[in-house]
Every structure is written in structure tokens, then in C-alpha cells.
């Protein structure tokens, strides 16, 4: 029996989304099924915004960043009558399955719809933050780490020439995966992450120790979710608009780099500058590794649809692509384990 397979991309855009769309569509078309794109994440299912996906639509999209379907942070559970509208649109468009490509928010909605309403959905783990459980890696993360590492390499030049401390603020929300990986790859002298918060005093001591050894410059990587932490026990989260949250209740982080740089300059007397990488980390073409991972995830998701394994997600376990329950992926944030941070820490100061 033929199937109409819908796809949506939700949350922040991420390198590799188009590779997933291409793989799900290609495998579905090869099976004689129809593929239907849902525009702008869950908003497209609430408002009934669809586009057909055929061979032409997916031609040439593998190396393209962003998503050809558009994306939003719409949460149908926060829209008046949102869930009923999703179910109505799904039925009136005669859809049989949904492949939801997203992070904890998008997949959280998918898991809940499946659990509460028996919705026929499978998930694909996307996010540059790499904070989803039940999978070793999300796609998009490798690209973000590669971009951040390249930036750190470039910032070394200025740091060294001017005898400066360069603070690099990276994304990652409430986990420090991007910071710890790019910091390790780029040879950072201090890395500050939310999960294992060293104090400002410790960070300054590491920088001073390094300078006493004759190194006149330092690279400090800070994750946007790191709370300024002081030896006194005081902690302060820096957010852009503390009062404003999105439909999933997230504050918009950003700005900790500036605050940290001011503290470092004042306490050490070393000239300090800040670079905030921001959305550059999410933009542009995916790395080869992300293209391959996204493609394998997409093919697996199409197979999960074929087998009607609703409420599951494609995941990476070692080198294998496997099936896991969606609810396991969103049950808790996957944080950086202490041994990962210790490996970065071995090079502090
Ligand atoms: O979840 C991905 C992410 O890039 C986070 O690292 C960051 O905190 C957030 O999205 C930024 O969101 P926005 O694109 O809405 O500014």
C-alpha cells in the first residue's frame, strides 16, 4: 500500500537538515511513496502549510546549509487548539507518517503526540548543541565544532601578535559540548562550560600561571550557558533578554563572553578581547561527517516509517545507526561527562 510521508524541520536551523530531507525523500520515492514537506516546523502542521517533495525538489540540496522547508520554534501545545489543528491538518492532507527532524523541543512534541494521541511519528536527532540523549551524536554538531575550531585557530594569530587574552563565546545552550570539543581541538588555555563550572578566580589563576611561564597570550573558550561562578559561591547567568522566553520556555543566552572578558582584564591586568561566534556556527555547508551522518539518519527514519515503528528515533550507537524510543532521547539533557572535561583541563594554564 502506498504511503504519504510528511517531513518537518523544527527549532534552530542546523547543517545537515537538507541531507536528511534528501535521504528520507529519496528512499520514500524509491518505494513508490509520496513525500510531503511541512513548512516551518510544527507551525506548518498547525496552519496547513505543505509542499510536495519530488526528485527535483531534493536535487542539489545535500551540501546546502539551512533547511529548504523552513523552521520555527512553534510549540503546538502552546497554541490555542494547536494539537487538534495538527491532527486535523494531518488527516485532511491524507498523511500516513511524519518524520520530525529536530532537537529536544521538536522531538519532545513528537514524543508527546505519539504517547498521548498515538500519532504516527519517527524522529531524527538534530542540533549543533549535541545535547540529546539516547544517541552518541546529533548531526550538525561536527560542523559547529569545525567552525569554532577554525575560529580559535585564527584568533591565535591576533592573540600572539598583540599579547592579548582572546575570549571566544560559543553556543551550546545549557551544555558545553561545542566549547569542550572545539577548545580541545583548538588548544584553548581555559574552557568554561555549564556542567563543570570552574570559578573566575581559577580561570584567572590558570591564565596568570601561563603568562608567568613566558606565554604572553591566552585563548579562553566559554560556552554561552556558563554561569559566571565566583569563589564566594555567587553565580550569575548572563542572558540577552532575561524576561523573554520562547514557546518552549528557553531564555535567549549570549553575552557571557563580554562579562568574562571584563573580569579577566580587571583581575589580571592583561588586555582582553571577545569574539562571539553566534549563528556562524550553524550556517553554511555541513562537514562531510555531518552529511554522512544526516544521510544515514534519513535512510533509517524512512525505514522506521516503512516498518511503522512509531514513537522511535534514528540514533547513533558507536558506528551503528539504531532505533531508540523517542521518549528516551528527550527524557534528559545529555551533558558533557567529567572525563571529557578533564581531558580539556589537562591543558589549562
Ligand atoms: O539550539 C541551537 C542554538 O543555536 C543554541 O546553541 C542557541 O542557544 C540557540 O539555538 C539560539 O537560538 P536562536 O537562533 O533562536 O537565536
Amino acid at each position: 500500500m502506498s504511503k504519504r510521508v510528511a517531513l518537518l524541520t523544527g527549532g534552530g536551523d542546523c547543517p545537515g537538515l537538507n541531507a536528511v530531507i534528501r535521504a528520507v525523500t529519496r528512499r520514500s520515492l524509491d518505494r513508490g511513496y509520496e513525500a510531503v514537506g511541512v513548512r516551518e516546523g510544527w507551525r506548518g502542521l498547525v496552519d496547513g502549510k505543505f509542499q510536495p517533495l519530488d526528485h527535483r525538489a531534493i536535487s542539489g540540496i545535500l551540501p546546502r546549509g539551512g533547511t529548504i522547508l523552513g523552521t520555527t520554534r512553534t510549540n503546538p501545545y502552546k497554541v490555542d487548539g494547536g494539537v487538534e489543528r495538527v491532527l486535523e491538518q494531518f488527516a485532511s492532507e491524507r498523511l500516513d507518517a511524519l518524520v520530525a527532524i529536530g532537537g529536544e523541543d521538536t522531538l519532545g512534541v513528537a514524543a508527546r503526540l505519539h504517547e498521548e494521541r498515538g500519532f504516527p511519528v519517527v524522529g531524527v536527532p538534530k542540533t549543533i548543541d549535541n545535547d540529546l540523549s539516547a544517541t552518541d551524536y546529533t548531526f550538525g554538531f561536527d560542523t559547529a565544532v569545525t567552525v569554532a575550531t577554525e575560529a580559535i585557530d585564527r584568533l591565535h594569530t591576533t592573540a600572539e601578535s598583540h599579547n592579548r587574552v582572546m575570549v571566544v563565546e560559543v553556543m551550546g545552550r545549557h551544555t558545553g559540548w561545542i566549547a569542550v570539543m572545539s577548545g580541545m581541538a583548538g588548544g584553548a588555555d581555559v574552557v568554561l562550560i555549564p556542567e563543570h563550572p570552574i570559578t573566575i578566580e581559577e580561570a584567572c589563576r590558570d591564565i596568570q600561571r601561563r603568562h608567568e611561564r613566558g606565554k604572553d597570550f591566552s585563548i579562553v573558550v566559554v560556552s554561552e550557558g556558563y554561569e559566571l561562578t565566583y569563589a564566594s559561591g555567587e553565580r550569575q547567568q548572563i542572558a540577552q533578554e532575561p524576561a523573554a522566553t520562547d514557546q518552549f520556555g528557553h531564555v535567549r543566552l549570549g553575552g557571557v563572553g563580554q562579562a568574562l572578558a571584563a573580569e579577566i582584564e580587571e583581575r589580571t591586568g592583561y588586555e582582553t578581547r571577545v569574539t562571539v561566534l553566534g549563528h556562524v556556527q550553524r550556517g553554511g555547508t555541513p562537514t562531510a561527517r555531518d552529511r554522512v551522518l544526516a544521510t544515514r539518519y534519513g535512510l533509517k527514519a524512512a525505514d522506521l516509517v516503512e516498518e511503522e515503528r512509531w514513537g522511535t528515533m534514528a540514533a547513533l550507537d558507536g558506528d551503528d545507526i539504531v532505533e531508540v524510543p523517542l521518549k528516551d532521547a528527550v527524557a534528559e539533557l545529555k551533558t558533557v561527562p567529567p572525563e571529557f572535561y578533564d581531558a580539556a583541563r589537562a591543558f589549562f594554564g
Side-chain angles (χ1 to χ4, degrees):
M1 204 187 74
S2 185
K3 282 192 172 97
R4 276 169 63 77
V5 182
L7 291 83
L8 70 75
T9 54
D13 73 323
C14 177
L17 282 167
N18 287 324
V20 179
I21 295 168
R22 170 178 173 266
V24 175
T25 303
R26 177 67 194 264
R27 183 146 279 182
S28 302
L29 296 179
D30 284 351
R31 291 204 164 106
Y33 298 166
E34 287 173 80
V36 180
V38 178
R39 303 275 324 155
E40 299 165 13
W42 289 110
R43 182 191 289 170
L45 266 183
V46 171
D47 294 342
K49 294 183 184 173
F50 302 101
Q51 75 178 68
L53 290 171
D54 54 15
H55 285 288
R56 204 188 159 112
I58 58 167
S59 169
I61 67 171
L62 175 62
R64 274 174 56 190
T67 161
I68 60 164
L69 296 176
T71 184
T72 57
R73 296 194 191 278
T74 302
N75 180 354
Y77 284 94
K78 289 286 157 65
V79 176
D80 221 11
V83 170
E84 296 312 321
R85 280 158 70 185
V86 165
L87 299 177
E88 280 159 27
Q89 292 293 348
F90 193 80
S92 71
E93 200 60 21
R94 296 174 293 102
L95 298 170
D96 298 295
L98 175 70
V99 177
I101 311 162
E104 50 154 341
D105 299 331
T106 306
L107 298 184
V109 170
R112 194 166 163 194
L113 280 173
H114 174 258
E115 209 132 299
E116 293 176 358
R117 314 296 288 255
F119 196 66
V121 63
V122 304
V124 177
K126 166 237 74 161
T127 167
I128 63 162
D129 303 337
N130 197 40
D131 58 359
L132 267 178
S133 291
T135 186
D136 287 354
Y137 288 98
T138 52
F139 75 85
F141 173 63
D142 185 64
T143 306
V145 170
T146 301
V147 170
T149 303
E150 192 189 323
I152 294 168
D153 287 348
R154 288 177 186 277
L155 289 167
H156 260 100
T157 328
T158 304
E160 208 166 349
S161 305
H162 288 263
N163 293 346
R164 282 178 181 161
V165 177
M166 301 296 276
V167 173
V168 189
E169 179 184 312
V170 298
M171 285 184 163
R173 209 162 246 165
H174 299 293
T175 63
W177 285 103
I178 298 176
V180 82
M181 294 291 219
S182 64
M184 234 190 288
D189 304 302
V190 180
V191 180
L192 299 107
I193 65 172
E195 299 95 318
H196 308 286
I198 60 167
T199 62
I200 306 279
E201 288 86 347
E202 285 175 288
C204 289
R205 260 201 307 278
D206 282 337
I207 295 167
Q208 265 157 340
R209 200 173 63 237
R210 182 176 151 78
H211 285 232
E212 278 156 18
R213 280 207 332 268
K215 292 281 192 180
D216 293 328
F217 69 94
S218 292
I219 300 283
V220 176
V221 177
V222 60
S223 181
E224 62 179 357
Y226 167 78
E227 292 179 355
L228 292 181
T229 305
Y230 298 88
S232 63
E234 189 201 336
R235 292 172 78 146
Q236 192 191 347
Q237 173 112 87
I238 310 287
Q240 286 186 24
E241 296 162 27
T245 55
D246 64 18
Q247 287 193 333
F248 289 93
H250 300 296
V251 292
R252 181 137 39 107
L253 294 170
V256 70
Q258 196 65 49
L260 178 65
E263 288 281 13
I264 292 173
E265 190 162 276
E266 195 185 311
R267 287 162 187 263
T268 65
Y270 303 138
E271 192 182 18
T272 306
R273 292 283 194 278
V274 191
T275 301
V276 180
L277 293 185
H279 295 85
V280 170
Q281 293 156 98
R282 280 194 351 217
T285 191
T287 57
R289 188 183 166 87
D290 270 337
R291 292 182 202 187
V292 171
L293 183 59
T295 298
R296 294 179 75 204
Y297 278 154
L299 294 174
K300 180 69 177 181
D303 291 347
L304 293 172
V305 166
E306 173 68 359
E307 294 155 22
E308 308 200 345
R309 303 288 299 155
W310 313 132
T312 64
M313 182 185 85
L316 185 69
D317 179 7
D319 277 336
D320 299 328
I321 301 290
V322 298
E323 164 195 326
V324 296
L326 253 180
K327 61 174 174 16
D328 290 0
V330 296
E332 57 177 359
L333 279 190
K334 185 181 69 184
T335 53
V336 174
E339 56 273 22
F340 254 90
Y341 190 61
D342 285 347
R345 209 168 176 171
F347 298 91
F348 287 10

